[in-house]
Amino acid sequence: MLLYITVAVVTILIAGLVKPLPNPANSQIKLPGEITRRQMLNLAGLLFIFTILFVVSAIRLNVGNDYTRYVEFMHLIVHNAYVPTEMGFNGVVRIIYGLSGFENYLLVFAFFSFTTIAVFLWSIYRDSENFGLSFFLFMSFGLYFQSFSTVRYYLALAIALFAIPFVLKKKWVPFILLILLGATFHKSILIVIPLYFLASLKWKKLPLIAAGLFCTTFLFLQDFYLRLLVFVYPTYRDTEYLEGGTSIINIIRCGGILIFSLIYYREAIKDNDRNRFYFYCNLAAFALYTFGSFIPVISRIGFYLTVTHIFFIPALLNRIKDKKMSHIFTALIIAAGILYLAMYLIKAQDAGVRLIPYQTFLFHEMSFQWAY
């Protein structure tokens, strides 16, 4: 656990040194002859952060609740057996195993670590109004540490986050193409096509009330919706995936952000398309966690909505005119983030997390006996 705390503290401190540029259009890295001192410092900070996060993730061995399961999937892929994974993941495994000449699962995990962390950092630097705070939330909400498990899903989550600016600019073709790319690694990302489209609309009061009334049907029509889900996803029939379950912590988190955003709705959200999009994402997540606890793998759907919190919270804080209140809310959010991460790391040894003990292939080995 000390390793994870150290990684979080060091990278968050470095992130605090990454400052916004005077002109957001200049956030793109230019040619060496054109780069400014501020861009150079930002680039150095990003590279330090990326290196730390990548190395810790890439050299791990049997860390993550489904690490050995993924190793088994990779073995089955190259032996042309059936696997429930998507073609993008399968293709990466075949290419890496083919180039390596052996079942180099370590390099596969390193590839996903590299890609996932790079896309997340790129998105945060490009889209956040406060990189340091957004990165703090990225770490404190456990997004980095959770990427040690379900590596396909977290790459898809990073791609979904990266695709949001295309939604805000109404560039639907590149948005859908990015989502289809993400679906080759985890098909759950397809849910963001309707969700992000709906969140991009300017909702009036009556449609919102109607949507709220519709959500209440989840309370007494659960069997109907489960049958509908099995019809769409027949592979869920008679499996553990039909087991629902929600998170009180996520309900509290979304509810707290909802109250905070309503307080400053007029000055921060009403006339701001981007913040309104984040507001509706949080509202949808709150409704989903509150009324849809019976929905299978509800957290995977919810994360596509709550991942926007790392942008939404700094954007709200930046628009609080009363600086004293802004400082108070910032302190409360930082305290909540630290508590959230502490609660997550306390459970790091649980079967559903398995971040502890941390092991690396530099000092440990794994052995497998394959059954056919």
Side-chain angles (χ1 to χ4, degrees):
M1 185 179 296
L2 180 61
L3 171 66
Y4 298 135
I5 295 173
T6 303
V7 167
V9 171
V10 171
T11 54
I12 289 169
L13 289 176
I14 297 173
L17 302 177
V18 178
K19 303 298 182 182
L21 299 168
N23 182 0
N26 292 332
S27 61
Q28 301 300 319
I29 300 302
K30 298 181 178 180
L31 295 175
E34 302 174 328
I35 199 166
T36 66
R37 182 175 181 275
R38 182 68 262 170
Q39 286 175 313
M40 180 63 75
L41 292 174
N42 285 352
L43 178 59
L46 290 170
L47 288 176
F48 271 115
I49 293 170
F50 173 81
T51 301
I52 294 171
L53 298 184
F54 169 66
V55 170
V56 172
S57 178
I59 68 173
R60 75 188 192 278
L61 181 71
N62 199 18
V63 177
N65 69 315
D66 52 4
Y67 191 99
T68 55
R69 187 183 182 199
Y70 267 112
V71 175
E72 183 179 0
F73 284 162
M74 296 175 203
H75 177 77
L76 294 173
I77 287 168
V78 294
H79 287 82
N80 299 314
Y82 169 77
V83 288
T85 51
E86 292 81 1
M87 63 178 182
F89 177 81
N90 299 348
V92 168
V93 171
R94 288 194 173 96
I95 291 172
I96 291 178
Y97 276 23
L99 293 174
S100 300
F102 66 100
E103 297 190 14
N104 192 350
Y105 57 85
L106 294 173
L107 189 56
V108 176
F109 282 112
F111 168 84
F112 278 92
S113 297
F114 182 97
T115 309
T116 302
I117 296 168
V119 175
F120 267 124
L121 282 181
W122 186 354
S123 298
I124 296 171
Y125 180 66
R126 180 192 63 184
D127 300 326
S128 176
E129 296 186 16
N130 184 331
F131 178 84
L133 183 55
S134 288
F135 182 79
F136 167 80
L137 295 172
F138 169 74
M139 295 297 293
S140 64
F141 286 162
L143 292 170
Y144 167 67
F145 297 114
Q146 291 180 70
S147 70
F148 287 16
S149 304
T150 323
V151 296
R152 295 159 36 243
Y153 172 78
Y154 276 90
L155 177 56
L157 183 65
I159 292 173
L161 187 69
F162 185 83
I164 287 176
F166 295 103
V167 176
L168 300 176
K169 296 174 183 176
K170 309 298 182 184
K171 294 183 178 180
W172 300 111
V173 172
F175 166 69
I176 291 176
L177 289 176
L178 276 172
I179 299 308
L180 291 178
L181 172 64
T184 66
F185 294 99
H186 206 284
K187 62 185 178 182
S188 66
I189 194 177
L190 294 173
I191 194 66
V192 307
I193 295 178
L195 288 180
Y196 285 2
F197 170 74
L198 292 173
S200 70
L201 300 178
K202 293 182 179 180
W203 288 76
K204 302 297 183 181
K205 289 184 179 180
L206 286 179
L208 276 177
I209 294 173
L213 292 174
F214 173 75
C215 288
T216 62
T217 65
F218 291 167
L219 299 176
F220 51 86
L221 292 177
Q222 295 183 8
D223 291 341
F224 168 76
Y225 288 122
L226 284 175
R227 287 197 298 270
L228 181 62
L229 184 69
V230 170
F231 176 78
V232 176
Y233 289 101
T235 56
Y236 280 3
R237 188 184 302 274
D238 299 325
T239 68
E240 71 275 9
Y241 292 112
L242 282 182
E243 296 178 6
T246 191
S247 168
I248 299 299
I249 297 298
N250 282 328
I251 293 176
I252 295 173
R253 172 177 151 189
C254 292
I257 293 174
L258 178 60
I259 294 171
F260 178 38
S261 61
L262 287 174
I263 293 173
Y264 295 100
Y265 184 85
R266 288 187 176 275
E267 57 190 278
I269 298 171
K270 184 178 179 181
D271 298 318
N272 188 302
D273 291 341
R274 182 178 59 173
N275 290 348
R276 189 168 54 248
F277 172 84
Y278 298 151
F279 173 81
Y280 286 135
C281 282
N282 180 68
L283 182 62
F286 179 72
L288 184 66
Y289 285 124
T290 304
F291 297 104
S293 61
F294 68 95
I295 299 175
V297 290
I298 185 176
S299 62
R300 292 185 180 179
I301 301 174
F303 282 169
Y304 286 120
L305 298 167
T306 60
V307 71
T308 60
H309 288 171
I310 66 176
F311 297 149
F312 190 31
I313 293 173
L316 287 174
L317 290 171
N318 281 352
R319 284 162 179 77
I320 298 178
K321 297 178 181 178
D322 187 333
K323 295 303 179 183
K324 182 179 179 180
M325 290 304 301
S326 177
H327 293 326
I328 291 174
F329 276 115
T330 300
L332 290 173
I333 288 165
I334 291 174
I338 294 172
L339 178 62
Y340 196 97
L341 180 59
M343 292 174 62
Y344 178 77
L345 291 180
I346 287 173
K347 300 186 296 181
Q349 201 167 0
D350 292 357
V353 183
R354 288 199 59 194
L355 292 180
I356 297 176
Y358 180 83
Q359 297 181 148
T360 166
F361 66 82
L362 299 175
F363 305 108
H364 299 85
E365 294 182 357
M366 289 179 63
S367 60
F368 294 92
Q369 292 183 346
W370 307 112
Y372 294 92

